[in-house]
Amino acid sequence: MKLRLDYLSADHVDRHVVTGVTFVVCYLLLEAVSLVGVYRNIGVTPWNPSAGLAVAFAYHAQPLQYPYFFLAPLLSLTLLYPAHLSWVLALFTGLT
């Protein structure tokens, strides 16, 4: 069995960073759009297009892109939602 280290080349890593940052930006934009119809001021929306984006990204993601799955929900909870959560709750929610 031959060990492959080509996924650590600079070009390959740059491509994953660009893809991951694009995912985070699109996730935040979809979260912002979905906040239009917040249900009873508790921060729950009747639709969640960012979850669909996360599933599509998960289907094509590589191991170098896994941290972006944690970063996107964490940023959306801290930046977009009107109910300011404690950083501990936001951290654990990002892990799920």
Side-chain angles (χ1 to χ4, degrees):
M1 186 169 165
K2 195 175 197 179
L3 183 62
R4 289 185 51 200
L5 295 177
D6 59 341
Y7 68 92
L8 293 176
S9 68
D11 185 40
H12 194 76
V13 171
D14 290 344
R15 190 170 358 123
H16 287 300
V17 169
V18 169
T19 305
V21 170
T22 303
F23 164 71
V24 171
V25 169
C26 290
Y27 188 95
L28 291 175
L29 287 173
L30 286 173
E31 280 287 318
V33 169
S34 70
L35 282 178
V36 171
V38 174
Y39 181 72
R40 294 187 184 179
N41 269 344
I42 57 173
V44 176
T45 58
W47 62 302
N48 196 357
S50 57
L53 177 69
V55 168
F57 186 69
Y59 184 72
H60 294 289
Q62 301 294 320
L64 292 175
Q65 296 169 327
Y66 292 161
Y68 297 105
F69 287 111
F70 169 73
L71 185 64
L74 181 65
L75 286 176
S76 76
L77 283 175
T78 56
L79 298 176
L80 299 176
Y81 280 94
H84 296 289
L85 302 173
S86 70
W87 65 271
V88 175
L89 184 59
L91 182 70
F92 284 122
T93 304
L95 288 174
T96 58

